[in-house]
Amino acid sequence: MGRCLSVQTPTAALALVIVMLGVSWAVRRSTSTTLDFYLANRQVGPFLNACAICGDYFSAASFLGVAGAVYASGLDGVWFATGFAAGFLVVLFFLAAPLRRAGQFSIPDFLAHRFGSSHVRIVAVAIVQLIVLLYLVPQMAGAGLVWEVFVREGFLGASPYVTGIVLSTVVIVIQAVVGGMKGTTWNQALLFGL
């Protein structure tokens, strides 16, 4: 049973990577300008966007992180999951609507527009990058752990954990470069469906 699972897991992961890259490539063909690449050609509807947000919510950082917090702190850890879900509602109601009304697509752009200062934009970008880093670390740790548990083999002398992190990073970068924001949105929606 263990050997069968060990053989099927890399095959399923490779199939998923191929499908995701195929989706990115198919969507990329409809992107003609840099603005289209970064703003998904402004063709992402509410249903697709909701599926993509849910796919992001079910990511390794939130899924494994919240499960780990509940495991580590017992029943009190359920409040971590509640707070995490409530955070999306706060963003939706108090951040997304003002951004849309201002005609801006990012928090740094909104703050620079609101306060008329490029210094505010630089500080906001630095804070956003810090938040992205704090979100990315558990994502990559989850990818490394999944590879280590299911595949149990490293490449080029690296440990299985490091191999999982490196391969996941390479696949994500290729997928984002090929598909842009529209490809990323479609792939997150696909992962939500799975």
Side-chain angles (χ1 to χ4, degrees), residues 131-167:
I131 292 168
V132 167
L133 179 66
L134 293 174
Y135 186 76
L136 187 64
V137 168
Q139 284 285 100
M140 292 297 105
L145 285 173
V146 167
W147 186 272
E148 186 176 44
V149 167
F150 287 112
V151 180
R152 297 187 197 113
E153 292 182 26
F155 294 138
L156 301 174
S159 70
Y161 181 77
V162 171
T163 300
I165 291 173
V166 170
L167 288 177

Side-chain angles (χ1 to χ4, degrees), residues 34 84 108 120 122 134 155 157 162 175 183:
T34 305
F84 197 75
V120 172
I122 292 170
L134 293 174
F155 294 138
V162 171
Q175 180 264 323

Side-chain angles (χ1 to χ4, degrees), residues 33-193:
T33 67
T34 305
L35 194 61
D36 293 344
F37 181 81
Y38 288 116
L39 297 179
N41 213 7
R42 296 186 181 175
Q43 295 177 343
V44 176
F47 181 75
L48 179 63
N49 202 19
C51 289
I53 289 171
C54 288
D56 190 38
Y57 180 77
F58 290 144
S59 66
S62 58
F63 187 70
L64 295 177
V66 170
V70 171
Y71 177 77
S73 62
L75 191 56
D76 291 339
V78 172
W79 288 107
F80 288 113
T82 305
F84 197 75
F88 275 112
L89 294 175
V90 170
V91 167
L92 176 68
F93 291 125
F94 298 112
L95 195 61
L99 284 175
R100 184 172 182 171
R101 281 194 301 272
Q104 305 300 321
F105 294 98
S106 69
I107 295 170
D109 287 341
F110 174 76
L111 292 174
H113 172 74
R114 175 94 164 114
F115 295 110
S117 170
S118 62
H119 297 296
V120 172
R121 180 191 309 260
I122 292 170
V123 170
V125 166
I127 291 171
V128 167
Q129 292 304 313
L130 177 65
I131 292 168
V132 167
L133 179 66
L134 293 174
Y135 186 76
L136 187 64
V137 168
Q139 284 285 100
M140 292 297 105
L145 285 173
V146 167
W147 186 272
E148 186 176 44
V149 167
F150 287 112
V151 180
R152 297 187 197 113
E153 292 182 26
F155 294 138
L156 301 174
S159 70
Y161 181 77
V162 171
T163 300
I165 291 173
V166 170
L167 288 177
S168 298
T169 302
V170 168
V171 168
I172 290 167
V173 167
I174 291 171
Q175 180 264 323
V177 167
V178 169
M181 191 59 169
K182 192 171 185 181
T184 302
T185 302
W186 273 96
N187 279 311
Q188 285 182 317
L190 171 72
L191 293 176
F192 170 67

